[in-house]
Amino acid sequence: MSVRGVIRAMPTMLRVGFAESVAYRAEMLVWVLSTTMPLVNMVLWMAVAKHAPVGKYGQVDFVSYFLATFAVRQLTSAWAAWIINWEVKQGTLAMRLLRPISPLWAYAFDNIAGFPLRLVVAVPVMVLSVVLVGADKAVPQHAWQWGLFLIAVLGGWAITFFANVAMGALSLFMDSSQKTMEVWMVLFFVCSGYMYPVELLPDGLRSVINWLPFRYQMGLPVELMTGAHDLPTALGLLARQWAWVLGMGTLALGIWKYGVRRFAAFGG
């Protein structure tokens, strides 16, 4: 389908995706509850910083950081890998392939359509952070900072979505790619800033992580939300993030197109 056709179909797919999100709101609530690890980490790191700051992070900084992490997690998550795995295993991917629009657009719009419900969770947490630590530590202070933060959130979601597509498409070559996705998630927890600020890692390890995609999924949006970087540093990190968006997107589309041809051969 052409780009014009995708744009014309977009409102309908968003409405369908939002209706599904509302219909499965109980499952979404369970998922939100499963992402409360930043709140646990916040309490632990506050205890560690009770008598002295850890690096540049005092107790207030940890409250700001981990509440931002919880909010950003709601906005940058994707679950296409699990859906693709299930549809390949059940054979229902064939029905999607018969439609005039690529299944990847459908997966993306299903994910995007859930944003309003996830904002219902994220916005109150941001407000709570402002109340607890003050606006200067909880949210961006200037319009350009909000702009960079929103770009970073979009980039973080794009990397996560393309990584999901790439991992999910691997199921077209093997019985299941869920274990691969689980390995990716473990690396995400260790390297993304989800469990602790990347700034607390030793210089050598942080230099390695700066070249991996995980920090740009989570850590960078959180850092921009809490005003951790000046403009030149933020622009440099955003350039790396969008380089990963481009690279991960190319990888995901390549695996998907090759795998779908193989799926069609078996299906025929």
Side-chain angles (χ1 to χ4, degrees), residues 83-99 107 263:
I83 297 176
I84 295 172
N85 260 284
W86 189 85
E87 292 188 346
V88 170
K89 185 175 294 185
Q90 297 297 318
T92 53
L93 178 63
M95 297 300 294
R96 283 193 185 268
L97 293 172
L98 291 175
R99 298 173 184 171
Y107 298 138
F263 177 80

Side-chain angles (χ1 to χ4, degrees), residues 161-178:
F161 176 73
F162 285 133
N164 268 256
V165 171
M167 305 290 173
L170 288 177
S171 63
L172 294 163
F173 302 90
M174 55 183 73
D175 289 340
S176 173
S177 63
Q178 287 194 3

Side-chain angles (χ1 to χ4, degrees), residues 13-257:
M13 289 192 293
L14 288 175
R15 281 198 298 271
V16 171
F18 182 72
E20 289 180 349
S21 298
V22 173
Y24 293 103
R25 56 189 179 278
E27 285 81 354
M28 180 163 287
L29 177 60
V30 172
W31 178 81
V32 169
L33 294 176
S34 72
T35 61
T36 54
M37 182 58 73
L39 305 183
V40 176
N41 290 329
M42 178 180 72
V43 175
L44 293 176
W45 282 101
M46 286 177 64
V48 173
K50 182 177 181 180
H51 300 294
V54 181
K56 67 177 183 180
Y57 288 86
Q59 285 187 310
V60 171
D61 300 305
F62 280 122
V63 172
S64 171
Y65 183 88
F66 284 112
L67 288 180
T69 301
F70 181 82
V72 169
R73 177 82 163 123
Q74 312 309 315
L75 303 177
T76 58
S77 296
W79 47 82
W82 287 272
I83 297 176
I84 295 172
N85 260 284
W86 189 85
E87 292 188 346
V88 170
K89 185 175 294 185
Q90 297 297 318
T92 53
L93 178 63
M95 297 300 294
R96 283 193 185 268
L97 293 172
L98 291 175
R99 298 173 184 171
I101 190 168
S102 168
L104 297 186
W105 285 112
Y107 298 138
F109 285 125
D110 280 349
N111 205 160
I112 294 171
F115 272 30
L117 290 183
R118 286 187 274 170
L119 282 173
V120 170
V121 177
V123 170
V125 173
M126 295 168 70
V127 173
L128 176 64
S129 183
V130 171
V131 172
L132 292 177
V133 305
D136 58 326
K137 289 182 177 292
V139 294
Q141 297 299 294
H142 305 287
W144 66 267
Q145 290 177 320
W146 275 106
L148 296 184
F149 166 67
L150 294 176
I151 293 171
V153 168
L154 179 60
W157 175 81
I159 293 174
T160 306
F161 176 73
F162 285 133
N164 268 256
V165 171
M167 305 290 173
L170 288 177
S171 63
L172 294 163
F173 302 90
M174 55 183 73
D175 289 340
S176 173
S177 63
Q178 287 194 3
K179 294 297 181 186
T180 308
M181 194 63 199
E182 290 172 7
V183 172
W184 175 276
M185 291 302 296
V186 170
L187 293 172
F188 167 80
F189 289 138
V190 173
C191 302
S192 68
Y194 186 69
M195 305 293 288
Y196 40 76
V198 174
E199 292 290 330
L200 297 182
L201 295 173
D203 291 341
L205 184 55
R206 190 169 65 247
S207 298
V208 174
I209 287 177
N210 283 342
W211 289 100
L212 301 177
F214 308 105
R215 179 182 183 185
Y216 306 105
Q217 289 181 260
M218 174 62 63
L220 179 60
V222 171
E223 291 158 12
L224 294 182
M225 182 175 172
T226 54
H229 302 300
D230 56 22
L231 181 58
T233 304
L235 291 176
L237 291 169
L238 280 173
R240 290 190 182 188
Q241 182 192 49
W242 281 89
W244 268 111
V245 172
L246 181 62
M248 195 62 75
T250 303
L251 176 65
L253 292 178
I255 297 175
W256 172 261
K257 287 182 178 179

